[in-house]
Amino acid sequence: MVSDHLARKILQAAEELGYRRNPLAAGLRTRQTHTVGIVLPDLTNPVFPPIVRSAEHTLDAQGYTAVLADTGNRRRRERTIIDNMKSRRVDGLIIAAARRKDPVVDDCVELGIPLVLVNRTVDKHHVAAVINDDELGIELALTHLLDLGHRRIAYVGGPQNTSTGHRRYKSFIRLRQRFGLASERELAVNAVDYTETAGQTALSRMLASHRDFTAVLAANDLLALGCYDELRAHGLRCPDDISVTGYNDMPFVDRFDPPLTTLHIPRKVLGVQAAKILLERIRQPDAPIKQVRLEPRIVVRGSTAPP
């Protein structure tokens, strides 16, 4: 609505006066702050930084600033964080910390806050989400172990209050029955958290049952690393005595000793897709809800071998 000559004069005057745009003041007029909250369960988990980075770059290209928060896997802190973000009028949320039954997500849905879940989802609502095909991942890992000749395969799973932990566990039980594998209860233990310590504790319980197995399918790379620790504590070698597989292909698992066979998930794509879908929902709140499920692929390394 102004000429190029006038626009140049305005920009020159702004530069001379040291003017800087005030996004908060602009937000009062547009009712948008051009900020997006990203909520993680554990920033120290190597899976999440690539997701956050790709989401942040995608948002930045569209003029949005990401505000990052870590819940530390504590539900009360999750609510406090999201309440604070809502009070600062973020335009939308990307949540990687959702539980299967999550009252915080319930509140966001009821209030109509633009929301996208990433990596995990919830049971109750049809919520926009970008997740992995957990069932396919478990099938790929199990098929790999079966092709190597393993028939007594143990499972170290994740917390059952998360969609990843629940779906991967249910998939393992279903596939174990389909393939006619050993079905002792002691051969499937779910850890209380996705941590190295929790994985070590879960495998310790399994070894204490004195059940015979030749491979461990872990539902997460940190759980698999905990299995490494417990095997060493019992004087067992991987993969000579027990093969181990992980899930997520987090950075540096190729540097483990031995390098970890695992399921690669497209972490960067998770972040990009989550950001794109959220921007769509911010601009068109009534648009159809999208749920994207990405396929993992198995990466075979040195932690698996014939029994």
Side-chain angles (χ1 to χ4, degrees), residues 14 21 23 37 46 84 126 157 221 276:
R21 178 179 177 273
N84 287 337
H126 185 60
D221 291 340
K276 286 183 175 180

Side-chain angles (χ1 to χ4, degrees), residues 180-227:
L181 302 177
S183 59
E184 289 96 333
R185 179 178 297 180
E186 293 84 355
L187 288 182
V189 176
N190 289 310
V192 297
D193 208 345
Y194 281 124
T195 63
E196 182 179 348
T197 300
Q200 184 172 6
T201 300
L203 188 62
S204 176
R205 288 172 53 195
M206 200 175 298
L207 291 170
S209 72
H210 301 292
R211 299 293 182 180
D212 180 42
F213 55 92
T214 61
V216 177
L217 196 165
N220 167 278
D221 291 340
L222 291 174
L223 295 176
L225 184 56
C227 291

Side-chain angles (χ1 to χ4, degrees), residues 34 36-37 40 81 86 126 131 203 209 223 227 255 282 286:
H34 282 79
V36 167
L40 305 175
I81 286 171
K86 288 189 295 185
H126 185 60
I131 59 175
L203 188 62
S209 72
L223 295 176
C227 291
R255 305 291 182 89
I282 291 171
D286 297 328

Side-chain angles (χ1 to χ4, degrees), residues 14-23:
E15 183 66 26
E16 291 173 355
L17 294 169
Y19 169 81
R20 294 293 181 268
R21 178 179 177 273
N22 187 330

Side-chain angles (χ1 to χ4, degrees), residues 176-286:
R176 184 173 68 176
Q177 293 172 346
R178 184 207 296 180
F179 294 126
L181 302 177
S183 59
E184 289 96 333
R185 179 178 297 180
E186 293 84 355
L187 288 182
V189 176
N190 289 310
V192 297
D193 208 345
Y194 281 124
T195 63
E196 182 179 348
T197 300
Q200 184 172 6
T201 300
L203 188 62
S204 176
R205 288 172 53 195
M206 200 175 298
L207 291 170
S209 72
H210 301 292
R211 299 293 182 180
D212 180 42
F213 55 92
T214 61
V216 177
L217 196 165
N220 167 278
D221 291 340
L222 291 174
L223 295 176
L225 184 56
C227 291
Y228 277 21
D229 295 338
E230 190 63 17
L231 290 175
R232 291 193 186 99
H234 282 76
L236 298 170
R237 296 168 298 169
C238 174
D240 296 346
D241 298 310
I242 304 286
S243 289
V244 177
T245 68
Y247 203 121
N248 287 339
D249 196 25
M250 69 183 190
F252 305 117
V253 294
D254 58 332
R255 305 291 182 89
F256 286 6
D257 182 21
L260 182 65
T261 295
T262 186
L263 279 309
H264 176 82
I265 64 173
R267 296 182 297 274
K268 293 181 180 179
V269 180
L270 281 166
V272 170
Q273 288 295 320
K276 286 183 175 180
I277 292 173
L278 180 62
L279 291 173
E280 290 175 5
R281 297 207 60 75
I282 291 171
R283 292 161 183 165
Q284 296 179 295
D286 297 328

Side-chain angles (χ1 to χ4, degrees), residues 41-55:
D42 180 7
L43 187 57
T44 64
N45 186 325
V47 169
F48 293 112
I51 297 175
V52 171
R53 187 177 189 183
S54 57

